Amino acid sequence: MQRKHRSYVPLLGAPSIRLLSLIVHGYITLLLALNCNKLSAQDFTTFQQNDSPIISKALGFTSKHYRQLEPSLYYLSQRYANSLKNLSLPERQTRLVALAQFIDSKRNAVTDNPVIGPGCNLIGLLDPDHGLDPKEILSLAKAYSCTSTIFKKTDPSETLKNVGDKFLQSVANAVKSRDIPTTVIVLGHGLPTEIQSYHIPVDQLAKTILTAATHTDTTSSIIDLRHLTIICDDCYSADFMINLATRLTTSCSEQSLDLKQLPTLIAGTNRNCVGHADVGKKFVPHFWRDVIELFYIRQPHPTSITLGDFFGKVDNMMFGYGRSPIIQGSHVVGYRLTNPEMIQDPVVFVPLSDTELKALRATLGMKKEDACDLFLDIG
């Protein structure tokens, strides 16, 4: 499907070699991050060429199905490289097939989990310097019968810290309200360790969440954050989410807290990737723009927007950025890479239960002393 694009720019926050000042439409002065420090895609390309054909054939998935979990499988193989490095080629591929099946089973298990729907509470944090309108979230909240609170610095008398602190307090209140599913939506600029638009370090967000969770029930050491979903659509959002989940896990261990379940984390960009946004009268990040198009502009609306909608429909729409379809007859048979800088490949990280962790460790052939993340990238 061909799509027309308005002017776009990378979301700020990317480390860069040089900066360029650009006037967009004669109205907005922006600093563009050029020549961003991104990891080479060579290893992933090698994985696609050497491993994917055999894995995909063994799984029997359609090409569309497999491509949606292929990056997750690659990053999982990198994260637990030690469990693969001493295997023969057939053993390695057998283990990768088993890991792909594990990812796919988890996708199936959570696909119907609501992210935005009746009874949900939405908390939004919008970048102060660009044309992000609160309606980008409020319209969805109204359409799907959600309560909502939006934070955006618009009053000159307020500081970024004032607004950021109010946002963090709202998150803390949501953590304490275990019976109300809450989705936090951050749109703007980011770094691997910071919500850059409001200078909120990942450690501060983690501390806010854990402090609220421990104050909810002072007689219990159990931390259960399953009612919380966090969405970030900014640069390096997957890196930020990994750092957040890791910090929550580490802090619980340091404080002898029993972390039962992490939040669900949705990132608009994959590892080491900058985000992109359309620039005109409005400044709308591509990931969130596609969410609005799929689930607000298009009619009829579903009852709720589910996790499966994010790792299925939104991911599929975003696959077209930076790639061109290869068409044979009337069918799309593949995609050609045309602009690597435009690719974001969003990510959904889900928490793992004790039973699922045990199954993953067995699939990886891990020893008892080997560390295993309490969350899983499912594409």
Side-chain angles (χ1 to χ4, degrees):
M1 177 177 66
Q2 294 183 338
R3 286 182 284 172
K4 295 180 181 179
H5 297 288
R6 292 166 287 181
S7 300
Y8 70 87
V9 298
L11 299 180
L12 303 186
S16 59
I17 296 175
R18 57 194 177 95
L19 294 174
L20 172 68
S21 180
L22 176 71
I23 304 297
V24 182
H25 293 180
Y27 295 103
I28 306 172
T29 301
L30 296 173
L31 290 177
L32 287 184
L34 299 182
N35 299 326
C36 299
N37 298 330
K38 296 178 68 175
L39 293 182
S40 169
Q42 182 177 357
D43 288 344
F44 181 53
T45 301
T46 301
F47 180 86
Q48 288 178 305
Q49 294 172 345
N50 295 347
D51 292 313
S52 283
I54 295 171
I55 297 168
S56 180
K57 183 178 179 180
L59 291 169
F61 293 167
T62 64
S63 57
K64 176 183 174 181
H65 187 166
Y66 180 71
R67 80 172 187 229
Q68 290 187 324
L69 56 82
E70 184 181 36
S72 305
L73 181 60
Y74 166 72
Y75 282 113
L76 193 64
S77 73
Q78 295 297 297
R79 174 69 180 89
Y80 300 109
N82 286 340
S83 74
L84 298 169
K85 66 180 182 181
N86 294 323
L87 300 179
S88 66
L89 183 58
E91 290 172 333
R92 167 187 164 83
Q93 289 168 343
T94 298
R95 182 161 292 180
L96 287 172
V97 168
L99 288 172
Q101 290 170 331
F102 182 85
I103 294 171
D104 196 55
S105 68
K106 186 60 179 173
R107 285 165 64 96
N108 291 334
V110 301
T111 189
D112 293 328
N113 289 7
V115 177
I116 298 174
C120 290
N121 175 39
L122 304 187
I123 300 172
L125 181 65
L126 306 183
D127 185 86
D129 294 329
H130 298 297
L132 273 169
D133 195 305
K135 289 189 294 185
E136 306 294 343
I137 296 174
L138 292 175
S139 296
L140 281 172
K142 183 177 180 181
Y144 290 92
S145 302
C146 304
T147 58
S148 60
T149 308
I150 309 299
F151 298 92
K152 177 181 171 74
K153 182 185 179 306
T154 55
D155 185 344
S157 67
E158 286 190 306
T159 65
L160 291 175
K161 186 178 186 306
N162 292 153
V163 178
D165 287 346
K166 290 177 183 178
F167 162 75
L168 290 172
Q169 184 58 57
S170 184
V171 171
N173 293 339
V175 171
K176 296 174 184 177
S177 301
R178 292 180 178 176
D179 296 331
I180 303 173
T182 294
T183 297
V184 179
I185 303 163
V186 178
L187 308 177
H189 301 310
L191 292 168
T193 58
E194 183 181 281
I195 298 176
Q196 190 185 23
S197 296
Y198 289 88
H199 307 299
I200 300 173
V202 67
D203 286 357
Q204 186 179 5
L205 179 58
K207 183 178 180 180
T208 297
I209 292 171
L210 275 189
T211 300
T214 53
H215 287 176
T216 302
D217 184 355
T218 57
T219 64
S220 174
S221 62
I222 295 176
I223 304 296
D224 192 340
L225 303 170
R226 73 181 67 201
H227 64 296
L228 194 64
T229 298
I230 303 175
I231 301 173
C232 286
D233 188 9
D234 49 19
C235 290
Y236 306 109
S237 51
D239 303 287
F240 181 85
M241 295 304 199
I242 292 169
N243 287 329
L244 176 61
T246 302
R247 190 61 196 146
L248 287 169
T249 303
T250 303
S251 295
C252 282
S253 177
E254 292 170 348
Q255 298 176 47
S256 300
L257 298 172
D258 181 9
L259 181 54
K260 212 66 179 174
Q261 196 155 305
L262 285 162
T264 296
L265 307 171
I266 302 174
T269 63
N270 215 314
R271 291 118 170 127
N272 308 295
C273 286
V274 297
H276 295 274
D278 287 337
V279 177
K281 292 182 179 179
K282 292 184 178 181
F283 181 93
V284 186
H286 283 176
F287 174 80
W288 195 249
R289 187 194 72 172
D290 285 356
V291 172
I292 293 170
E293 181 177 336
L294 284 166
F295 304 110
Y296 181 73
I297 295 175
R298 296 186 182 183
Q299 300 282 348
H301 296 157
T303 303
S304 62
I305 307 172
T306 66
L307 208 52
D309 289 327
F310 278 93
F311 63 67
K313 294 175 182 178
V314 178
D315 183 83
N316 186 57
M317 179 171 276
M318 292 207 68
F319 196 79
Y321 292 110
R323 302 179 177 98
S324 297
I326 301 170
I327 300 173
Q328 291 182 2
S330 59
H331 299 285
V332 176
V333 296
Y335 283 83
R336 182 183 299 107
L337 186 64
T338 55
N339 186 352
E341 292 298 318
M342 286 294 294
I343 293 174
Q344 292 185 204
D345 285 343
V347 192
V348 173
F349 298 97
V350 294
L352 295 174
S353 67
D354 291 342
T355 301
E356 290 166 336
L357 277 169
K358 185 177 180 180
L360 178 59
R361 294 178 67 89
T363 302
L364 287 164
M366 298 178 75
K367 298 177 181 177
K368 186 177 181 179
E369 63 271 17
D370 293 337
C372 188
D373 294 330
L374 303 184
F375 57 94
L376 180 70
D377 170 354
I378 60 173

